[in-house]
Amino acid sequence: MKPELLIWDWNGTILDDALVCRNIANIMLSERGIPTLPDMDAYRAVFGFPIKSYYEKMGYRFGPQDEPYEHVADEFIIWYDKLYRTALLRPGIVPFLDRLKGEGYRQVLLSATRYDQLVEQVAAFGDVGDRFERKLGLTDHYAFSKAALARDFIEREGIPRERTLFIGDTDHDFEVSSAIGCPCVLLEGGHQSRARLEAMGVPVLPDLAALGDYLDRL
């Protein structure tokens, strides 16, 4: 069934920031004497949600005598605020979004980023934000869940779940789509490997051209 609404993930799907995040991870790991991630394959093998589990996979410990998770999360945000502007948008994303808007799709942006920070980040990359009728972000930056944001939006708008398509780059995006009961497609080149994405059992597409072909076939 042809979707009416496209819900786009931001980090890794629209904004190609995986390398920035891996570099920040290595700065923070090195400061703590924890082995760093040698390459993007290593990063994509451990990144995931909940974010606390991602840190634990990298070697952090959050027991009573250890550094609090919130302290680590806050430090990441400080680094990310300094460095995210060095990332680039996914190649071809702006004309692709324009094409979809011209074809009548409604499009919203969803992120585990705190809302005010999401608005600031999107604004840093020109007018890409103008392609979305709404930007949905969390109330804090500890990144526990974004499913409720998407669910609340489609319920308020009265959009059938089967007419909503979630576009992301991680297994968590699949989990969010499952939680709200809508279909999902996943794009390569973001924060997780193709093998991890394929394990979700949904279409995994190499690029925007393939996504366009996929939508045309619906």
Side-chain angles (χ1 to χ4, degrees), residues 20-53:
V20 170
C21 292
R22 178 248 178 167
N23 290 343
I24 294 171
N26 280 349
I27 292 171
M28 294 173 61
L29 290 168
S30 180
E31 288 176 345
R32 292 162 173 81
I34 303 173
T36 57
L37 303 171
D39 52 33
M40 289 303 296
D41 287 343
Y43 170 78
R44 290 187 171 111
V46 297
F47 179 81
F49 287 79
I51 291 293
K52 184 177 180 180
S53 297

Side-chain angles (χ1 to χ4, degrees), residues 60-155:
Y60 287 84
R61 297 292 178 266
F62 297 119
Q65 306 303 316
D66 299 314
E67 183 178 18
Y69 161 67
E70 289 77 11
H71 181 272
V72 175
D74 288 343
E75 183 178 336
F76 172 83
I77 292 300
I78 291 170
W79 277 110
Y80 191 82
D81 284 345
K82 292 178 180 178
L83 298 177
Y84 75 84
R85 292 174 181 83
T86 64
L88 299 172
L89 296 175
R90 183 178 284 265
I93 188 63
V94 171
F96 187 73
L97 293 171
D98 284 340
R99 166 194 157 182
L100 297 180
K101 185 175 181 179
E103 292 175 0
Y105 291 101
R106 298 179 64 182
Q107 302 184 90
V108 300
L109 191 63
L110 177 67
S111 177
T113 302
R114 200 175 72 199
Y115 174 75
D116 60 322
Q117 293 173 325
L118 174 63
V119 171
E120 179 180 338
Q121 290 172 20
V122 174
F125 292 90
D127 59 359
V128 64
D130 295 344
R131 277 72 185 174
F132 304 100
E133 64 177 82
R134 193 75 57 84
K135 302 175 188 70
L136 306 173
L138 299 184
T139 57
D140 60 48
H141 57 238
Y142 300 130
F144 290 118
S145 174
K146 56 187 180 181
L149 287 172
R151 187 186 305 112
D152 291 348
F153 178 81
I154 65 173
E155 289 178 354

